[in-house]
Amino acid sequence: MDDEAPLQTPLELKAQIEAERLGFPFLVYRDGGGQQQIHKLDGTDQVTVGRGTPSDICIDWDTEVSRLHAELERIGEHWTVSDDGLSRNGTHVNGERVVGRRRLHDQDVIRFGRTFAVYRQPLGGESTETEVASHVLDRASLSDAQRRVLIALCRPFKDSSGFLTPATNQQIAEELYLSVDAVKTHLRALFAKFGIEDLPQNQKRIRLVELALKSGVITPRDL
């Protein structure tokens, strides 16, 4: 998974934003057909993950997933993931294999076999994203150059059909007649302003698009 990998259609982006607004933790992942799935973690204290049909999250398309692969459990206000030898290939969080039980944090990337899921805890209170972003999510907070880069990054989402991914650095550079290094510099500043500089690299660009569109800093008219 590189920093251009996450793909979302506008409808999928809308569904994820709506799930965030509900405030409950959830997992977002893609099924065997490449469609985005959102599994809300509310109304239950335990969720099983595996290739077997009795699993709450059934990943039957992934042959590297065991029949009973992992368990997610709510402890107090927090969710954890554990494997405890259930799976042959292990469960990984942010690239590290889970040993025993691991507490999950907002934006953690969990890998079951070859399938990736992002854990979201919109009201978890641990991510600084909302606190940092709340006072900068307006047009006046961005320089003209930063706003042009942000618009170019979001421009693929003007089209409402098909799978979409944010514009690449090269595409932004060509559109704005900038060097790739200049684009990278502006993006680093935008990541910081939106409070997402600490996210895994493969999540930053799509998350920046989500926040820009959700906050109204960038509107469909701009694209």
Side-chain angles (χ1 to χ4, degrees):
M1 295 178 66
D2 56 36
D3 63 353
E4 312 294 344
L7 303 174
Q8 283 187 309
T9 66
L11 287 178
E12 289 173 339
L13 177 58
K14 179 182 178 182
Q16 185 168 332
I17 290 172
E18 289 177 348
E20 291 174 6
R21 287 173 176 166
L22 292 176
F24 296 108
F26 63 90
L27 290 182
V28 57
Y29 60 95
R30 291 198 176 278
D31 62 22
Q35 299 300 306
Q36 175 177 281
Q37 300 295 326
I38 293 176
H39 188 96
K40 297 175 183 177
L41 300 173
D42 63 315
T44 185
D45 292 327
Q46 190 175 60
V47 172
T48 56
V49 181
R51 193 153 46 93
T53 52
S55 299
D56 298 311
I57 299 178
C58 181
I59 309 179
D60 55 5
W61 62 88
D62 189 337
T63 58
E64 293 186 9
V65 171
S66 300
R67 290 186 61 81
L68 178 58
H69 194 97
E71 292 180 326
L72 284 82
E73 183 178 4
R74 179 165 54 189
I75 300 177
E77 298 179 353
H78 307 285
W79 277 89
T80 64
V81 62
S82 61
D83 191 314
D84 286 335
L86 293 174
S87 70
R88 173 178 295 181
N89 296 313
T91 299
H92 299 74
V93 175
N94 300 332
E96 297 180 1
R97 185 161 183 161
V98 173
V99 178
R101 186 181 306 277
R102 176 159 176 164
R103 179 179 168 185
L104 294 173
H105 302 273
D106 187 37
Q107 300 285 356
D108 276 349
V109 179
I110 312 169
R111 178 165 65 85
F112 310 105
R114 296 188 303 270
T115 301
F116 291 85
V118 178
Y119 172 75
R120 295 305 324 280
Q121 189 174 356
L123 298 182
E126 293 191 30
S127 171
T128 59
E129 175 188 327
T130 302
E131 179 181 352
V132 173
S134 63
H135 67 278
V136 300
L137 293 183
D138 60 75
R139 294 170 182 248
S141 65
L142 305 180
S143 69
D144 289 341
Q146 289 170 351
R147 192 162 184 277
R148 287 196 299 270
V149 168
L150 189 54
I151 290 172
L153 180 74
C154 298
R155 198 174 302 284
F157 288 81
K158 179 179 182 179
D159 184 2
S160 61
S161 62
F163 287 106
L164 300 176
T165 185
T168 65
N169 292 340
Q170 185 63 46
Q171 290 170 333
I172 297 172
E174 291 175 358
E175 176 180 334
L176 302 180
Y177 301 100
L178 296 173
S179 68
V180 171
D181 285 341
V183 171
K184 290 179 178 179
T185 297
H186 287 308
L187 284 174
R188 282 195 293 269
L190 287 166
F191 293 151
K193 284 195 172 185
F194 281 80
I196 59 174
E197 68 268 39
D198 294 329
L199 285 184
Q201 190 63 33
N202 65 316
Q203 297 179 29
K204 289 181 180 179
R205 299 169 73 89
I206 189 65
R207 188 59 179 156
L208 182 57
V209 171
E210 292 174 7
L211 290 173
L213 294 173
K214 180 169 65 173
S215 66
V217 170
I218 301 300
T219 68
R221 183 183 301 175
D222 295 321
L223 307 180

